Amino acid sequence: MRTTALPAAEATRPRTVVVGALLATGAVFMAFAALVAVYVQQRQMSRATGQEWFPEGSVELGPAGMMMMTLVLSMVTVQWAVQAARDEDRPHGFIALGVTLMFGAAVINQFWFVYQDTAFAIDGGRAELLFYVVTGSFIAMLISGMAMLAVTTIRSLMGPFGRDLAHGVQAAGAYWHMCVLCYFLVWYVIFITK
Amino acid sequence: MTLTEPAIADSEAASGAGGVAAPESSDEVAAAPSILAQPFVTSDAATVGRLFVLTSLLLGVGTSVVGVLLSLGRTEAVAPWDLFGGFNAYFRMWTLYRMSFMLLVVMPLLLGVALAVVPSQVGAGNVAFPRAALASFWSWLIGAVIIVVSVFAGGGWGAIDGVTGNESDAMALTLLGTGMVIVALLLGAVTVATTVISLRQTGMSLLDVPPFSWSMLVAAAVWLFTLPVAVANIVVIYADLRGRPAIAFGRAESPDIWLQLDWLVEQPAVYIMAVPVLGIAVEAVGATVGARSSRPEAITVIVGLFGLLAVGGWSQDYFTAPQDLRDGLVYVAFGLAAVLPLVALAGGAAELVLRGTKTPDRLLDVRMLGAGAALKLLGAAALVGALRVIEPLDLLETTATWAVFHGVVVAGLIAGVVAARNWSHELLIGPLSVVVGRGAVALLLGGGGLLVLSDLISGFLADAPDLMALSLDGSAVLNVVAFAGSILVAVGAAAAALGAVSALRAPLVAEGDAT
């Protein structure tokens, strides 16, 4: 058999939904990174003039560390959901989705605790304003990630399976990972370096 | 794939997520929406592209009329604030002119061309997410209406003489509209970029993609890197503006809001509008003389390099001392280096002319004239940009800033005219009249040239930083020249818009006329 006469294998193209989601995810990350950059620059400027950024002891590391741990765990469960959608495995898919959404809700709950604990007023000064802008934007991103994940996973697992639907879960998973990366920035910039 | 080959439908375009399959039965054809309903329900990217092109050209006419009034205010015939009814009103129009030309005219114009042209260039049946493209158009249009209405209601991007009444609320609305417009443009950019990456014909590598599609991929990537930074600025400003009272970023009574966003219309970010112009120019020249570049990969690299030099989210001087940023090596290097890809691309276009058929009718074709004019203006803008970053010349905070801006936006308008002539089939309009096309190109080139020249010389004559050109002494003649330039640009934009609208009623271009 002359193998040279065989037709060339069809080139594989990146999956449309995943590519589109990755581009959009990159744009969201750029916006969030810009917010963090404004925060860091303003804090640096404030400290350069000898001013205090946050009052000593007002921002605790404990709850923030718990949120980081929670989100790291959610990275595992979101990949579990992605793999379940790929394998057309309904029971594992729903369990993974449920656990991931629970982790997301837990982080929002912990942020609520942080807000109560710090008791900052949004118009209290630049530090407080930017604290709420950065963390509020993160919460909005997290909620949108939870919604994307729920919709794509349920669409994938409830109806007939299809390649594109599993790709949707994969796209939502990529967005989720970006959210966790953004929280890492928040954790380091706001809660660790304060 | 040659430039003249018909679009090759890619089944993946239709079957992929968000894709819309072509009608298969006569029932489906019969159920097609009416012409009035089409703009609201269409999943055909060419129709969405045409909507973008026509609407942005019409907004271009309005914006250039605002430019004429602003230029009239720069002459000594009447004080600018008297013309508009106060300092704040003048500032509102001054900022609207700049934001509008970028976000409501040039970027959507080129995005519209891309939505219509890119799928056929890469062999896809449609764009990757046709409904997202439609959502992009409508959210852009609604955002544009919000911006215009709120600015005329006393909003805008800050004030220079305090605020009264509900002006602060109107400013919040302007910010909302600006954010909407930017997100809509980003959605369109994601659609175009995904089409090029995912839906191009099997066997077509990214290096084989036609220059315009490649330039749009680069532009989309640069937009995705740059515009979200402006969205972040808007979030911070909005959060502060709605607080009681505003702390720093959202002070409505000062020009602070504008100062946090003006980097978008200054170099290097202003060049993000110009990236697709390079692709349009190369393709138009090649199609006119019937030649292809001997080094297409060089064009690819040049366009990519220009895109890289247009990434500008880092160049905000509001959060730091301006001199720290603008005397910095990176800012100067970006300013100087932007000239190089344009010179190289002009060389590439010249090579096409040398290799192609050089008959007088081809050399005087609208596409050839327009491509040359766009590249000349863009080159002039980049050259002024390079002079501007040379510290001893003291041009940074002068009207030289707007020489760069005017060169880029007028080049973008001319590229729109060239595209309408070059891709009549894809834009689903009849051929743009030769007379109208040549007239529009000549008027825009003349007007843009006068604006660039007068702004540059005014910058050299300025004794002190004066971005709004309010110190009239010493440059009165130049202000009259700028006024004449603004009129030419307005008439040119009107000619282009009228030409496009009248072409809608004309029969589709004859086979072989458009490429």
Side-chain angles (χ1 to χ4, degrees), chain B residues 4 41 64 79 100 105 129 139 149 167 169 193 198 214 217 254 266 270 320 355 363 368 426 438 444 498 506:
Chain B
T4 51
V41 297
S64 51
S100 177
V105 182
F129 310 110
S139 44
V149 169
E167 285 180 355
D169 293 334
S198 263
W214 171 254
L217 177 63
S254 73
E266 295 182 12
V270 72
T320 179
R355 287 161 56 89
L363 293 176
M368 179 66 89
E426 287 80 358
R438 282 183 185 153
L444 289 170
L498 284 173

Side-chain angles (χ1 to χ4, degrees), chain B residues 94 98 258 265-266 398-407 455 467:
Chain B
W94 189 84
R98 281 150 181 79
W258 171 253
V265 292
E266 295 182 12
T398 68
T399 51
T401 304
W402 309 124
V404 181
F405 174 80
H406 280 127
D455 281 338
L467 281 171

Side-chain angles (χ1 to χ4, degrees), chain A:
Chain A
M1 194 173 76
R2 289 174 57 219
T3 53
T4 50
L6 292 173
E10 194 168 300
T12 53
R13 290 269 178 256
R15 291 142 295 190
T16 309
V17 180
V18 178
V19 169
L22 285 176
L23 290 169
T25 298
V28 175
F29 180 75
M30 278 303 295
F32 193 79
L35 283 178
V36 173
V38 171
Y39 181 94
V40 171
Q41 194 282 333
Q42 291 291 298
R43 186 178 64 184
Q44 189 185 8
M45 211 168 76
S46 174
R47 286 179 179 163
T49 55
Q51 292 173 320
E52 191 180 44
W53 186 245
F54 288 132
E56 187 69 31
S58 59
V59 177
E60 299 288 345
L61 183 58
M66 285 302 295
M67 283 190 271
M68 189 72 247
M69 289 299 294
T70 309
L71 285 170
V72 168
L73 287 174
S74 77
M75 290 174 81
V76 177
T77 56
V78 84
Q79 275 310 115
W80 182 14
V82 170
Q83 192 59 43
R86 268 192 206 138
D87 297 344
E88 305 180 6
D89 181 351
R90 282 190 171 86
H92 279 98
F94 283 122
I95 293 169
L97 172 69
V99 175
T100 309
L101 294 182
M102 189 189 70
F103 283 149
V107 170
I108 294 169
N109 182 48
Q110 286 174 97
F111 258 116
W112 183 251
F113 170 79
V114 169
Y115 288 157
Q116 299 295 316
D117 190 42
T118 54
F120 288 152
I122 193 165
D123 55 357
R126 287 182 191 224
E128 288 84 350
L129 173 76
L130 289 174
F131 174 80
Y132 279 113
V133 167
V134 173
T135 56
S137 299
F138 171 74
I139 291 172
M141 283 164 56
L142 194 69
I143 290 171
S144 62
M146 289 165 71
M148 273 175 69
L149 199 61
V151 169
T152 53
T153 310
I154 289 169
R155 272 193 73 193
S156 171
L157 298 178
M158 291 294 279
F161 285 108
R163 192 188 59 162
D164 292 330
L165 291 176
H167 288 166
V169 182
Q170 203 177 343
Y175 182 81
W176 187 270
H177 291 311
M178 185 274 297
C179 287
V180 178
L181 179 63
C182 287
Y183 180 74
F184 178 79
L185 291 178
V186 171
W187 181 57
Y188 182 75
V189 169
I190 295 183
F191 293 100
I192 292 185
T193 61
K194 293 189 174 60

Side-chain angles (χ1 to χ4, degrees), chain B residues 28 31 62 105 244 255 265 274 285 296 302 316 414 435 458 471 504 509:
Chain B
E28 285 180 61
V105 182
R244 293 289 182 274
V265 292
V285 171
I302 289 165
Q316 304 181 46
I414 294 174
V435 175
S458 295
S471 59
L504 280 177
V509 64

Side-chain angles (χ1 to χ4, degrees), chain B residues 123-469:
Chain B
N126 203 347
V127 290
F129 310 110
R131 291 189 188 89
L134 187 64
S136 162
F137 170 73
W138 283 107
S139 44
W140 169 78
L141 187 61
I142 293 168
V145 170
I146 290 175
I147 288 177
V148 174
V149 169
S150 63
V151 166
F152 281 96
W157 296 268
I160 52 176
D161 192 27
V163 287
T164 54
N166 295 325
E167 285 180 355
S168 173
D169 293 334
M171 282 179 201
L173 208 54
T174 308
L175 289 171
L176 183 74
T178 313
M180 248 180 110
V181 161
I182 291 176
V183 171
L185 291 172
L186 285 172
L187 189 58
V190 166
T191 303
V192 172
T194 308
T195 306
V196 178
I197 294 170
S198 263
L199 297 187
R200 66 182 188 279
Q201 214 175 10
T202 304
M204 179 189 273
S205 77
L206 274 178
L207 287 175
D208 299 329
V209 167
F212 175 60
S213 290
W214 171 254
S215 70
M216 269 315 297
L217 177 63
V218 172
V222 174
W223 294 6
L224 289 170
F225 271 113
T226 302
L227 293 180
V229 180
V231 174
N233 287 132
I234 289 170
V235 168
V236 173
I237 296 166
Y238 189 88
D240 195 18
L241 180 67
R242 303 308 287 165
R244 293 289 182 274
I247 297 161
F249 312 100
R251 278 195 297 258
E253 68 279 8
S254 73
D256 278 22
I257 295 175
W258 171 253
L259 293 175
Q260 287 167 82
L261 294 170
D262 66 349
W263 61 271
L264 210 50
V265 292
E266 295 182 12
Q267 68 180 116
V270 72
Y271 295 135
I272 64 174
M273 291 184 278
V275 181
V277 175
L278 306 188
I280 291 173
V282 169
E283 288 216 22
V285 171
T288 310
V289 299
R292 305 189 72 178
S293 173
S294 62
R295 301 293 300 273
E297 67 279 5
I299 302 288
T300 305
V301 172
I302 289 165
V303 173
L305 180 63
F306 189 70
L308 193 67
L309 294 169
V311 174
W314 56 272
S315 66
Q316 304 181 46
D317 62 353
Y318 178 80
F319 298 103
T320 179
Q323 62 274 19
D324 288 351
L325 174 84
R326 299 194 164 176
D327 292 347
L329 181 65
V330 179
Y331 191 80
V332 174
F334 265 59
L336 294 174
V339 181
L340 299 177
L342 292 175
V343 171
L345 195 93
E351 187 233 357
L352 285 173
V353 175
L354 289 175
R355 287 161 56 89
T357 313
K358 295 180 281 294
T359 56
D361 60 321
R362 290 190 185 218
L363 293 176
L364 291 175
D365 189 283
V366 173
R367 294 171 292 177
M368 179 66 89
L369 294 175
L375 286 180
K376 282 187 188 85
L377 274 179
L378 206 51
L383 202 59
V384 175
L387 292 175
R388 189 174 161 266
V389 297
I390 298 172
E391 202 262 334
L393 296 179
D394 274 338
L395 288 173
L396 272 178
E397 298 295 319
T398 68
T399 51
T401 304
W402 309 124
V404 181
F405 174 80
H406 280 127
V408 172
V409 294
V410 180
L413 280 176
I414 294 174
V417 175
V418 174
R421 180 75 191 161
N422 201 42
W423 291 299
S424 304
H425 267 308
E426 287 80 358
L427 283 165
L428 301 177
I429 60 175
L432 192 69
S433 151
V434 173
V435 175
V436 171
R438 282 183 185 153
V441 167
L443 287 165
L444 289 170
L445 176 64
L450 289 180
L451 284 172
V452 171
L453 197 66
S454 58
D455 281 338
L456 175 64
I457 299 175
S458 295
F460 274 117
L461 293 178
D463 297 327
D466 182 18
L467 281 171
M468 293 179 74

